[in-house]
Amino acid sequence: MEAERLQPVKKGVPITFSYEVVFEKSDIRWPSRWDAYLKMEGARVHWFSILNSLMVIAFLAGIVFVIFLRTVRRDLTKYEELDKEAQAQMNEELSGWKLVVGDVFRAPPHSQLLCIMVGDGVQITGMAVVSILFAAFGFMSPASRGMLLTGMVLLYLFLGIAAGYVACRLWRTLKAGDSTGWRSIAWRVACFFPGIAFTILTLLNFLLWGSDSTGAIPISLFFILLALWFCISVPLTLFGGFLGVRAEHIQFPVRTNQIPRQIPRQKYPSWLLVLGAGMLPFGTLFIELFFIMSSLWMGRVYYVFGFLFVVLILLAIVCAEVSLVLTYMHLCMEDWRWWWKAFFSSGSVALYVFLYSINYMVFDLHILGGTVSILLYIGYSLLMVLAILLSTGTVGFLTSFYFVHYLFSSVKLD
């Protein structure tokens, strides 16, 4: 009888596939039906990742503690105990970060781009935190395919209000209360990251169409995404920008000199230190990154969103501490150009994530075959790296901004 079922395979002859289903009664309750698939091995590895992150945080927290209590507070206390004549004499003998008091709040070059990237970073960070938090509490069930991605897209759309608000308020702060050009900033915030993502997805989709792949995005979905982008995200970002302009701008505690102060020549390039700083945040992320990459490209189930949420919080803390420490170091070296360095000191973790993704493709991902598959992998990796750059860079920049504002608000220097 089995021989009668066999079908000879011949070239050009269609093959008929069939299958049988046998239903057996089970004692497993309906809500627990996914437990066999969601049980992930290697929980000890995730705990090791968290312990490793805590050690890095403790090390950086010790440095921050020394900066605040033993250096900054000591200098401020010593300054406040002097009389006016002694203060005037001390002002002539200042050293370190106190020498850049007239330039520390000077607007950075390409300030528009900085505001745009910070606004998009706030939007991406908020989307990631809320999405992973909901998933950790079990609202994103694997029984509902695509629920996590749909939730992330919707959150990103509605968080355009926060992006526009932060970007336009920062722009108004850099312009000393002048709100001219805020509409342009809000428009660019709404189009910067989504525009890059849409361009990458379009190019990758052309590759899939050219190779007759079933994984290509339907053209109808492209029009739906465009409608969501311009009918929801853009108006909400403009509304957030309007709220940011109406809010009171952050006033700088010291005046900015007309002539920029000359920066002393450094022994080593400061950007080398900025790029190297990304290794510390990457150290808190790389173990969990392996499981995420395996889930994306190897078809493995990833559902330990509780661990992922904890790692995300620890990553934000490390990014904030790294940016703060490097900003203080640059100010002590009389380098008042801290704006972009504060952004990239924590955002440089994206460089190491990209290098890790290339390493993963070469040594762990052996299923890729052909140029199209490799280009798809690199394209999606670049999109992920850009999102990580904007998110981590924003966390570091905002921390450094409020640190510098607090530092120079604590002492009155003329």
Side-chain angles (χ1 to χ4, degrees):
M1 186 168 179
E2 290 294 333
E4 295 179 358
R5 287 184 173 183
L6 297 178
Q7 179 184 4
V9 179
K10 297 181 181 179
K11 185 176 181 179
V13 178
I15 300 176
T16 303
F17 291 92
S18 63
Y19 62 92
E20 294 180 356
V21 178
V22 178
F23 294 95
E24 296 181 359
K25 188 174 181 180
S26 175
D27 296 330
I28 300 177
R29 297 174 62 249
W30 177 258
S32 304
R33 66 193 186 279
W34 285 93
D35 291 354
Y37 303 98
L38 301 181
K39 183 179 179 181
M40 294 192 65
E41 303 295 335
R44 186 175 299 178
V45 178
H46 297 280
W47 284 114
F48 173 77
S49 173
I50 293 176
L51 180 61
N52 176 57
S53 303
L54 290 175
M55 293 179 62
V56 175
I57 287 175
F59 170 72
L60 293 175
I63 299 178
V64 174
F65 179 81
V66 170
I67 290 175
F68 269 105
L69 295 185
R70 298 196 58 185
T71 305
V72 177
R73 294 305 305 173
R74 183 186 61 191
D75 290 349
L76 295 179
T77 302
K78 179 180 178 181
Y79 183 85
E80 292 170 356
E81 290 177 353
L82 300 176
D83 54 22
K84 293 184 178 180
E85 294 183 0
Q87 288 180 7
Q89 181 180 359
M90 185 178 179
N91 288 343
E92 299 177 357
E93 302 174 355
L94 292 177
S95 62
W97 59 270
K98 296 179 286 294
L99 283 173
V100 298
V101 63
D103 300 275
V104 68
F105 291 109
R106 188 180 303 278
H110 310 292
S111 55
Q112 286 190 358
L113 180 60
L114 179 63
C115 296
I116 293 167
M117 296 177 71
V118 170
D120 279 328
V122 169
Q123 193 172 5
I124 295 172
T125 304
M127 175 201 67
V129 171
V130 177
S131 299
I132 297 175
L133 182 63
F134 271 74
F137 281 109
F139 293 103
M140 306 293 185
S141 173
S144 302
R145 296 178 60 86
M147 175 180 270
L148 180 60
L149 183 59
T150 303
M152 293 175 66
V153 171
L154 292 177
L155 282 171
Y156 183 84
L157 292 174
F158 288 103
L159 283 173
I161 296 179
Y165 177 86
V166 173
C168 290
R169 192 179 183 195
L170 179 60
W171 170 254
R172 189 163 180 251
T173 298
L174 293 176
K175 294 298 179 180
D178 185 12
S179 59
T180 304
W182 72 269
R183 292 181 181 85
S184 175
I185 296 295
W187 265 103
R188 295 179 184 181
V189 169
C191 298
F192 180 72
F193 179 74
I196 296 176
F198 192 82
T199 302
I200 293 177
L201 291 177
T202 302
L203 294 176
L204 296 180
N205 218 45
F206 278 126
L207 290 175
L208 292 173
W209 281 336
S211 58
D212 296 327
S213 173
T214 57
I217 302 176
I219 190 65
S220 59
L221 184 57
F222 266 94
F223 286 108
I224 292 175
L225 292 176
L226 283 174
L228 292 175
W229 181 8
F230 287 101
C231 297
I232 297 180
S233 180
V234 172
L236 289 179
T237 306
L238 290 171
F239 178 68
F242 173 76
L243 295 179
V245 170
R246 294 292 298 271
E248 184 179 359
H249 71 282
I250 302 174
Q251 297 184 358
F252 296 141
V254 293
R255 295 192 303 269
T256 300
N257 296 334
Q258 296 292 332
I259 303 176
R261 176 184 175 84
Q262 185 176 2
I263 300 174
R265 186 175 181 179
Q266 308 298 333
K267 297 181 180 179
Y268 51 88
S270 59
W271 282 105
L272 188 63
L273 186 62
V274 169
L275 294 178
M279 296 181 65
L280 290 175
F282 180 74
T284 69
L285 180 66
F286 79 98
I287 294 179
E288 211 66 30
L289 186 62
F290 171 79
F291 291 97
I292 296 174
M293 299 287 282
S294 299
S295 175
L296 291 174
W297 299 105
M298 302 291 288
R300 299 174 183 174
V301 177
Y302 185 89
Y303 207 66
V304 285
F305 290 104
F307 283 108
L308 183 59
F309 181 74
V310 173
V311 170
L312 181 65
I313 298 300
L314 296 179
L315 175 65
I317 295 174
V318 173
C319 288
E321 291 179 341
V322 164
S323 182
L324 189 150
V325 171
L326 261 71
T327 298
Y328 180 76
M329 290 177 60
H330 284 109
L331 292 179
C332 288
M333 292 186 295
E334 303 177 25
D335 187 355
W336 46 266
R337 298 172 302 183
W338 60 271
W339 303 82
W340 282 108
K341 294 173 183 176
F343 187 92
F344 285 111
S345 59
S346 56
S348 60
V349 65
L351 172 64
Y352 298 95
V353 172
F354 181 73
L355 295 177
Y356 178 83
S357 64
I358 298 299
N359 175 81
Y360 184 84
M361 179 186 68
V362 174
F363 295 103
D364 295 315
L365 199 60
H366 303 294
I367 62 174
L368 292 181
T371 306
V372 174
S373 299
I374 295 175
L375 291 176
L376 286 174
Y377 178 86
I378 294 177
Y380 287 123
S381 297
L382 287 174
L383 186 59
M384 177 183 67
V385 164
L386 178 60
I388 293 175
L389 168 66
L390 294 175
S391 178
T392 55
T394 297
V395 172
F397 171 79
L398 293 179
T399 303
S400 295
F401 178 82
Y402 285 105
F403 165 71
V404 173
H405 190 278
Y406 166 79
L407 179 63
F408 286 90
S409 298
S410 302
V411 60
K412 303 298 183 182
L413 295 172
D414 297 329

